[in-house]
Amino acid sequence: MAAADEAVRVCDGLDTTFTVVVRSLAAEALVHAGEPERGIRLTLSAAGGRKLPRLPGRRRARCWDLLACAEHRRGEPGATDGYAQLARNYVGRRPSPLRLGYAGRAEARAHGVRGNPNGSMETGAAAFAQFEARDAKLDAALTLLVVANACLDNRKPHDVPGHLNRAAELADACGCRGTAWSAELSTADLAEVRTVCPSSAGD
C-alpha cells in the first residue's frame, strides 16, 4: 500500500498514458491489499470513468476484471456483473488470449455472485486455460481462487480442494505468498462449509 501511494504521489500533476497506467497498477495493489473502495476511486479517476476511455485498450479487460473484484469485495453484485459485461463486450470485439482470460475471470466472479457456481466453473476453466497457455501463473492461480470461492459461497464444495491445491502450487511457483495465503483462507472456509453441509464431506 505504501508503494502504491508513492506511485500515485509521483504521478501527481502528470497527465500521460504512462501515468494513467501507473495509477491503474497502484489501484490494483490497493484492491488486493484490502482497500477496494480506494482502488475503485483511483481507477475511475485516472481512466476517465467506467468505460476506461483514457486507459490503453490492451489494459482495459484487466482493469474491468479488477473493478469487478473490488465491487465483489464491497458486496455490490450489480456492479460486479456490470464490469464483467463491459469486459465481455470489449473482448468480443478485440479478442486476445490474455484479454479473454481477464474477461472470463470477471464473468466467473459475476456468475458466483448471481448464485451460479456451475457457470463460474465453466467460464473460470476457460479463463484458466488462457492464462495457463501463456504461462501466466499468478493470473491462473487467482482464477482458480475465484472459482473456488464462488463454489464455497454457494455451498458447492465439490472439487474445491483440487482448485485450492493447484492455486497454491502456482502461487508458490511464482513466489506469490499472498495468493497462497488466500488459498489457505479458502481451505478454512471449506471446513466451515462441510460443517454446515455434512453430506458434502465425501465430495
Side-chain angles (χ1 to χ4, degrees), residues 126-148:
F128 175 82
Q130 296 289 350
F131 290 130
E132 188 174 45
R134 294 297 179 279
D135 199 31
K137 292 183 177 66
L138 178 56
D139 278 312
L142 290 172
T143 302
L144 290 174
L145 291 182
V146 168
V147 174

Side-chain angles (χ1 to χ4, degrees), residues 8-162:
V8 173
R9 187 194 65 76
V10 170
C11 292
D12 188 38
L14 303 176
D15 189 21
T16 66
T17 299
F18 176 75
T19 58
V20 172
V21 170
V22 169
R23 290 184 180 100
S24 74
L25 290 172
E28 188 170 327
L30 290 172
V31 170
H32 289 303
E35 295 282 347
E37 292 188 9
R38 287 182 62 200
I40 292 169
R41 288 196 304 270
L42 179 57
T43 299
L44 298 182
S45 173
R50 294 179 72 254
K51 293 188 177 181
L52 313 178
R54 301 181 63 218
L55 195 67
R58 61 187 172 80
R59 299 199 62 88
R60 290 181 191 177
R62 174 173 175 161
C63 202
W64 280 314
D65 174 47
L66 177 74
L67 288 165
C69 172
E71 292 291 4
H72 182 209
R73 293 185 180 187
R74 292 180 65 228
E76 298 290 344
T80 302
D81 190 64
Y83 284 122
Q85 182 69 46
L86 284 169
R88 184 166 56 248
N89 291 344
Y90 185 83
V91 171
R93 299 190 304 272
R94 299 173 178 82
S96 78
L98 287 178
R99 289 176 193 169
L100 288 166
Y102 292 125
R105 186 166 67 201
E107 190 168 3
R109 200 184 309 274
H111 279 304
V113 299
R114 291 198 302 265
N116 180 15
N118 291 334
S120 183
M121 285 189 287
E122 181 179 349
T123 53
F128 175 82
Q130 296 289 350
F131 290 130
E132 188 174 45
R134 294 297 179 279
D135 199 31
K137 292 183 177 66
L138 178 56
D139 278 312
L142 290 172
T143 302
L144 290 174
L145 291 182
V146 168
V147 174
N149 282 302
C151 292
L152 292 177
D153 289 345
N154 291 282
R155 296 297 190 263
K156 296 286 186 180
H158 183 68
D159 288 337
V160 167

